Amino acid sequence: MVALSTLELVYVFFSIALAVSGLAMVSLAANAYLQTDRREMLSLAVGFCIIVAAAIATTISAFEQGFDNALVLLTVNYALTTVGYLFVISSVLGE
């Protein structure tokens, strides 16, 4: 097993925290959708799913690539996160 630096451990910790809190939002929104059949809640759940998936994929890819190609990783992360936030915005604005 490879020893992680303090900064890498902090990165992993916050990645896990983001994933857990994001998945909690997905769970709450999905539950609200099942109870109310409001499409806005489905859109909210999908948005947070994409945001969490981007965060998890970026963390895994960063470690697999040894933190090389950071510009590509961040660009893909930002693109996916933006799509996720567009779903979140549509859930707030939609009726």
Side-chain angles (χ1 to χ4, degrees):
M1 179 160 181
V2 177
L4 299 178
S5 71
T6 302
L7 188 55
E8 289 171 334
L9 287 172
V10 170
Y11 177 61
V12 169
F13 172 78
F14 282 115
S15 296
I16 291 169
L18 187 147
V20 169
S21 60
L23 290 175
M25 285 297 299
V26 170
S27 175
L28 292 169
N31 189 39
Y33 173 70
L34 291 174
Q35 291 179 0
T36 65
D37 285 330
R38 293 189 62 182
R39 293 186 58 85
E40 294 89 356
M41 294 299 103
L42 181 60
S43 182
L44 185 64
V46 169
F48 275 107
C49 266
I50 294 170
I51 293 166
V52 169
I56 292 170
T58 300
T59 301
I60 291 170
S61 296
F63 280 101
E64 283 185 356
Q65 295 182 14
F67 292 90
D68 292 334
N69 299 317
L71 187 57
V72 173
L73 285 173
L74 291 174
T75 302
V76 171
N77 176 279
Y78 288 165
L80 289 172
T81 302
T82 300
V83 170
Y85 278 119
L86 290 174
F87 275 95
V88 172
I89 291 168
S90 74
S91 76
V92 173
L93 298 177
E95 285 204 23

